[in-house]
Amino acid sequence: MGCMVSQLAAKFAFFPPSPPTYHLKKRDDGKLTVVSTAAPIPHADDTSLDVLLVDTKRGNKIVAFYLRNPYARLTLLYSHGNAADLGQLYDLFVQLKVNLRVNLMGYDYSGYGASTGKPSESSTYADIEAIYECLETEYGVSQEDLILYGQSVGSGPTLHLASKLPRLRGVVLHSGILSGLRVLCHVKFTFCFDIYKNINKVKKVKCPVLVIHGTEDEVVNWLHGNGLWKMAKESYEPLWIKGGGHCNLELYPDYIRHLCKFIQEMENMTTEKRLKKIRQSAKEPKSNTCSTCRTCCRMKCCRVKCPDCSNCCSDCMNVSWSINCPECCWRPSCMKGCCLLKFPSCLGSSCCTKCSWPSCCGVTKCSLPSCYPKCSRPSCSCKSCFCWQCCVGKHSDARTNGKQNG
C-alpha cells in the first residue's frame, strides 16, 4: 500500500516542462552543445560552459551544465524546482556565477529536459549523487569547497546529499519543503509513504544552512522554511522576503545581497577552521535537550530515560537519580525547578501541580494545605511531599519523615 501511495505522490510531485525547452546536439569536435529557441541558450563557442551527459546508478543519463568562473573559490551545486529545466535556468545560472563569484553546476533530474528516465524521489537522489561524483572526479571539487543549493523540490535531493557529507562548506534551501505530504496538508506526523522527508534529514546536516523563503508563498507555506531553519543544527541568518511568492524571489534585491553575504562568509571560513569545529563537536559528549527548557529557563536539561515516565519532569537540570522508578519522576537535586510536575495521578488537581519559582510559573506555594509536610492524597504515586520547599532543599527532615511514613 505504501509503495502505491508513493508512486501516486510522485505523479503529483513532478511536472517536467513538456515539451523540453532544449535538446542536445553534438559538435564536430565531439562535444555537446544545447539547441533551443524557447529560452536564452549559451553560444556554441562559449568556453566557460561544459554541457555534460552523466550516468546514474539507476541507468539514466542526465544533462548537466558546468559554468566556470576564473575568480571562484567555491562551487555551487544547484538543484532546481519542479516545473523547470536547464533551458529556462541558464540565464539565472550566469547571473549567480558572476554575482556570487562561484563555479556553478546545474543538472536536470531524470525525465526532465533532455535527461532520460522517469522522475521519482529515488531517481533524484541517484541524480545528485552522480553529479557530485562527477564534480569530484572531473573537476576535483571536494566537499569542503562545495555549497549545495536546493530550490523547492530541489531541497529534497540537496538535503539527502548534505546529510551524507559531514565536511560540506554550506547549504542553501530556497523555498524548501518539510516533506511532500506536508505541502498538501498540515500533518504533524511523518508517514512511511511520504516523500522528501526533509524534516528528518535537515537535523543531520553539519554545516551552516541558509534558508530563503517568501512570506506570501502560495505553493509552499512560509512555515516550511521556518521549520527547516529552526531544526538545522547550524542555522545561518535566514532571509524572509516580505511579499515574496514561490517563483519570484530572485527578483528581489535582498535575494542576491543576502546570498553574496553568505558566500563571502563561507569563503572566509577556511577548511582548517571548519575541520577544527567539526572535531570539537565530535568530541563533545552527546546529550539530549528539550526545547521547553530552553524557552522557559534558558538552560539545557537532561531528559528522563525511564520507559515508565519518559515524558515527565524533563525540564530541569543537574539531576541525580537517587530514587528508582516510578518515583524517579521527582528530582531531589533540582535547584532551579521549572515547568509543571507531571504526575499522572495528581496532574490537574490542586496538589503539587506547579513550580514555585516566580520566573517560571508564578506560584508561590502549594495550593493544598495538607500537602505539606507530606502528600495526603492516597492516589498520588509520589509517596512523598512534592511541595516547592522540598524541591529547593528546605525542610529536609520533614521530607524524609514523609517518605518513611508514606
Side-chain angles (χ1 to χ4, degrees):
M1 179 64 181
C3 294
M4 293 177 60
V5 178
S6 296
Q7 294 174 4
L8 183 63
K11 290 182 180 180
F12 286 101
F14 302 102
F15 299 97
S18 183
T21 62
Y22 71 96
H23 65 271
L24 301 181
K25 181 180 179 181
K26 259 191 178 180
R27 301 190 307 189
D28 295 336
D29 58 2
K31 292 185 178 181
L32 292 173
T33 186
V34 182
V35 178
S36 175
T37 56
I41 288 298
H43 193 272
D45 297 328
D46 186 359
T47 58
S48 66
L49 171 71
D50 289 345
V51 180
L52 309 169
L53 206 55
V54 181
D55 294 318
T56 75
K57 64 182 181 182
R58 294 179 64 88
N60 297 326
K61 292 183 178 292
I62 58 174
V63 182
F65 289 177
Y66 182 78
L67 290 78
R68 292 183 184 85
N69 187 323
Y71 304 103
R73 293 173 57 188
L74 301 176
T75 298
L76 193 73
L77 174 50
Y78 193 106
S79 300
H80 62 71
N82 195 353
D85 63 19
L86 292 180
Q88 298 167 310
L89 293 169
Y90 174 73
D91 188 49
L92 173 64
F93 287 171
V94 172
Q95 293 182 40
L96 292 177
K97 178 192 79 169
V98 173
N99 292 322
L100 302 180
R101 200 177 63 178
V102 295
N103 298 315
L104 191 146
M105 174 72 91
Y107 66 101
D108 264 338
Y109 310 122
S110 298
Y112 279 70
S115 298
T116 64
K118 292 183 178 180
S120 69
E121 179 187 12
S122 54
S123 291
T124 59
Y125 293 160
D127 297 340
I128 196 171
E129 289 173 0
I131 294 299
Y132 172 67
E133 184 179 350
C134 176
L135 282 172
E136 275 190 314
T137 57
E138 299 295 328
Y139 298 98
V141 177
S142 64
Q143 57 179 291
E144 291 86 355
D145 297 324
L146 182 64
I147 294 176
L148 301 185
Y149 189 113
Q151 192 230 344
S152 188
V153 167
S155 61
T158 292
L159 286 174
H160 167 77
L161 184 60
S163 64
K164 296 185 174 184
L165 301 180
R167 299 190 303 276
L168 271 178
R169 188 60 65 99
V171 170
V172 180
L173 301 177
H174 173 165
S175 302
I177 64 175
L178 288 171
S179 76
L181 190 58
R182 286 174 171 84
V183 176
L184 301 176
C185 52
H186 298 288
V187 295
K188 295 183 178 180
F189 303 98
T190 300
F191 297 91
C192 61
F193 53 82
D194 202 353
I195 64 172
Y196 294 131
K197 300 167 187 173
N198 296 338
I199 191 171
N200 299 329
K201 294 181 180 179
V202 70
K203 303 172 186 177
K204 301 177 183 179
V205 178
K206 298 180 179 179
C207 62
V209 177
L210 165 62
V211 178
I212 302 173
H213 217 104
T215 60
E216 301 299 326
D217 193 325
E218 69 287 353
V219 178
V220 180
N221 193 282
W222 169 83
L223 293 175
H224 286 253
N226 189 48
L228 291 170
W229 173 68
K230 285 183 176 180
M231 284 181 287
K233 281 188 176 180
E234 193 174 342
S235 299
Y236 187 81
E237 178 188 356
L239 175 61
W240 310 131
I241 298 183
K242 187 175 182 180
H246 190 68
C247 301
N248 63 351
L249 300 187
E250 297 89 349
L251 303 178
Y252 289 80
D254 285 345
Y255 168 80
I256 197 68
R257 188 183 302 124
H258 202 79
L259 260 182
C260 284
K261 178 185 174 184
F262 176 73
I263 296 296
Q264 289 173 1
E265 291 191 23
M266 295 304 102
E267 287 179 344
N268 295 333
M269 183 190 296
T270 63
T271 301
E272 183 179 356
K273 289 181 180 178
R274 183 72 192 142
L275 291 176
K276 184 178 179 181
K277 190 171 183 180
I278 293 173
R279 293 190 192 102
Q280 288 176 347
S281 62
K283 291 179 181 178
E284 292 177 358
K286 294 182 180 180
S287 62
N288 294 322
T289 60
C290 68
S291 57
T292 307
C293 199
R294 287 196 295 270
T295 56
C296 176
C297 300
R298 299 294 189 267
M299 60 184 71
K300 292 183 178 180
C301 65
C302 300
R303 191 177 293 277
V304 182
K305 293 296 183 182
C306 167
D308 294 331
C309 55
S310 58
N311 293 322
C312 70
C313 300
S314 61
D315 304 319
C316 294
M317 64 175 293
N318 300 328
V319 178
S320 60
W321 305 115
S322 59
I323 305 176
N324 294 326
C325 290
E327 295 174 348
C328 66
C329 298
W330 86 290
R331 300 186 170 191
S333 62
C334 176
M335 300 304 295
K336 291 190 180 295
C338 66
C339 305
L340 304 181
L341 290 172
K342 301 174 182 177
F343 297 100
S345 57
C346 57
L347 178 64
S349 69
S350 57
C351 172
C352 305
T353 56
K354 291 189 177 180
C355 171
S356 63
W357 289 88
S359 60
C360 180
C361 302
V363 178
T364 58
K365 64 180 180 179
C366 180
S367 58
L368 188 64
S370 60
C371 182
Y372 184 79
K374 65 180 181 179
C375 185
S376 62
R377 298 178 65 87
S379 61
C380 185
S381 63
C382 55
K383 304 296 184 184
S384 58
C385 176
F386 294 98
C387 293
W388 68 277
Q389 292 94 334
C390 294
C391 291
V392 297
K394 294 181 180 181
H395 300 281
S396 58
D397 295 337
R399 180 180 61 185
T400 304
N401 294 335
K403 288 183 181 179
Q404 294 174 349
N405 296 334

